[in-house]
Structure formats: C-alpha cells, structure tokens
Amino acid sequence: MRPEIHANTDVLARQAARHLIELSRASIRSSGRFILALSGGSTPKGLYKKLTELEYSEKLDWNSIHIFWSDERCVPPDYPESNYGMALKSLINHIPLPPQNTHRIRGEMEPQEAATTYERELKAFFFPGHVEPPGVPGFDLILLGMGDDGHTASLFPRAAALHEEGRWVVAHHVEKLRNWRVTLTPRVINAAHNVLFLVSGRDKAKCLREVLQGPYRPDELPAQVIRPESGRLTWMIDARAAELL
Ligand code: 6PG
C-alpha cells in the first residue's frame, strides 16, 4: 500500500477535499447520493474546515450528501470530546446540509442503546423496507484516522470488535481511555466503496511504518484490519508522519 505523501497538513486537507469532491460527483452521478462517514479526532478537522470554504463547498451538492460517523465517544454532543460536536463546529454549522442528512451516533445515550439505535438507522437508510437486510451498508466513503497505537475508528488493540462478524455497530469500554465508545465494525468499513485514511504528525511515524510495511498483526495494529473487499483504500499522510517510510 503506497500512501500519498503531502508536504504539510494544509496540503493534506486540500488534497483530501479534492478527493472527496471527486468521489461525491461520481457517486451522485451514479446513484443520486453520496453517503459519507466522518472520522473523529483532530486530523480531519483541517479537511472539514476546508470543505466549508467556497472554493470547495460550491463543488459539493449538499442536498445529495448524507453524513454518518465511523465512531463516537459516549458523551453528549456539547462535550469537547464529541466527534459529532467537532464536526458540527468545523463543518456542519457552515454548510447548507439538510438537517435530515445528518445521522449521528447518540453519544448521550447508554452505550449499548446508542449502538443499537445507530445500527437500526443504518438498516433503515441502506435497506428500507427490509426486515432482514440483504447485505451490509455500502458507504461511498469512510474517513478514518489512526492513533499512535494503530487504532482506527474506535477499534483499539485487542478489542473483541476487531473480530465481530455479525454486528455492524458495537459499543465497548476502552480501558486505556476509561471511556465507552461506539464504532462501526470492520465488516462495515471493509464493505465501503472508498476508505480514506488521513494521518499526520511525527508521533504517528513509527506506527505508520509498522502498519504499512510490517507484518500483518491486526490485534496489535487495528488499522491493518481495514482491507476493503472491493472498495478503494487510500492513505493520505503528511511528510512528518511519513518520516520513517
Ligand atoms: C476518534 C477517532 C480516532 C482518531 C485517531 C487519530 O474518535 O478519536 O475515530 O480513531 O481518528 O485517534 O486521531 P487524531 O487525528 O486526533 O490523531
């Protein structure tokens, strides 16, 4: 897997915005809509802010775009840790996205209920009218980041969720963070038509080399479990994160 290496986080955000616009145009041309799952954390914030700039925002047909999340911290939306809250401030409050096109994970709910509720919303959105869904949600693009321990979404090292074959969404307590998280499972992420990792910073360099060039050991390096069946996987990283490649 050869990552795209960009000089700095601003170039990374601009390139990611261009990539997202291209994918949205292709999806809307072929299916009439673009179904996107946002990542949390700090790296994607630069992309979200870029998408609010006229040069990029005017190239996006927001009426045909639906925004979901790849994971969420189990906190209310107004908490600083909330991925939804971050996206609201850096993107959604600044674009003409119809309110019904936002599909958040309810971090304020009891975690298991939040996971069940989100999975029910995915079923209703992707497979309306089906009691038993005939397949797995096919997101047009899932954005992901990577922690310096190799986690992605809220799939952390040695998490049982890494081997979840049935459910699309799970809630679990992350010991290291002393917090509950809700996350898409690898089954859903790997069914996406496109997956884009955005990674920046020198602190990620060592782990990134292990993930991209080292042996396959997803229990230690969960980002390695992301191998889309038929979708396209793209890594966009900045020069600092690429230092050891
Ligand atoms: C989250 C994200 C998580 C994030 C990584 C990288 O909810 O925090 O889903 O997987 O992408 O921790 O975060 P940074 O981009 O802040 O380094």
Side-chain angles (χ1 to χ4, degrees):
M1 171 51 61
R2 289 190 55 75
E4 285 184 26
I5 301 173
H6 297 292
N8 55 51
T9 51
D10 185 59
V11 176
L12 181 67
R14 277 192 268 125
Q15 195 49 40
R18 287 191 200 104
H19 182 65
L20 189 147
I21 288 164
E22 265 169 47
L23 294 179
S24 74
R25 282 178 166 162
S27 299
I28 293 168
R29 242 194 331 268
S30 68
S31 71
R33 60 190 194 176
F34 180 57
I35 310 163
L36 165 65
L38 299 183
S39 168
S42 56
T43 305
K45 214 180 284 183
L47 166 60
Y48 302 164
K49 287 181 177 165
K50 200 58 78 179
L51 294 175
T52 67
E53 293 174 13
L54 191 61
E55 175 188 354
Y56 299 94
S57 182
E58 68 182 2
K59 297 185 176 77
L60 288 157
D61 174 6
W62 294 110
N63 285 319
S64 306
I65 295 174
H66 286 265
I67 293 183
F68 290 79
W69 274 261
S70 50
D71 69 321
E72 185 56 278
R73 291 83 178 276
C74 295
V75 295
D78 58 347
Y79 278 39
E81 304 89 341
S82 168
N83 287 338
Y84 168 69
M86 182 273 275
L88 209 55
K89 290 191 204 86
S90 54
L91 174 63
I92 295 172
N93 285 343
H94 311 282
I95 53 173
L97 185 79
Q100 67 272 21
N101 289 25
T102 299
H103 311 268
R104 72 181 181 95
I105 300 168
R106 285 163 169 65
E108 69 280 14
M109 273 184 173
E110 185 278 323
Q112 301 302 349
E113 192 186 348
T116 310
T117 302
Y118 193 53
E119 182 158 319
R120 198 177 305 125
E121 181 159 4
L122 288 172
K123 284 179 181 169
F125 182 84
F126 282 93
F127 303 105
H130 285 79
V131 175
E132 274 311 311
V136 178
F139 282 91
D140 293 308
L141 173 61
I142 295 183
L143 292 176
L144 294 174
M146 187 195 77
D148 60 8
D149 61 352
H151 82 261
T152 189
S154 284
L155 299 166
F156 286 82
R158 293 170 296 285
L162 285 167
H163 305 281
E164 174 61 44
E165 293 292 328
R167 288 177 293 172
W168 298 349
V169 185
V170 296
H172 54 193
H173 188 261
V174 183
E175 203 49 48
K176 170 180 178 180
L177 303 173
R178 285 198 286 281
N179 196 351
W180 282 81
R181 295 281 191 101
V182 173
T183 186
L184 291 180
T185 54
R187 186 175 181 222
V188 173
I189 301 173
N190 285 331
H193 306 148
N194 296 278
V195 176
L196 172 59
F197 273 99
L198 290 181
V199 183
S200 67
R202 187 164 288 122
D203 60 321
K204 308 289 176 71
K206 183 172 176 303
C207 186
L208 195 59
R209 181 178 58 187
E210 290 171 35
V211 166
L212 294 180
Q213 299 175 347
Y216 182 65
R217 46 196 190 99
D219 276 303
E220 301 313 313
L221 300 167
Q224 289 184 329
V225 83
I226 306 305
R227 297 175 153 187
E229 281 110 47
S230 56
R232 184 172 139 204
L233 174 60
T234 307
W235 286 79
M236 289 189 185
I237 64 180
D238 75 346
R240 293 174 306 161
E243 263 177 3
L244 301 178
L245 295 184

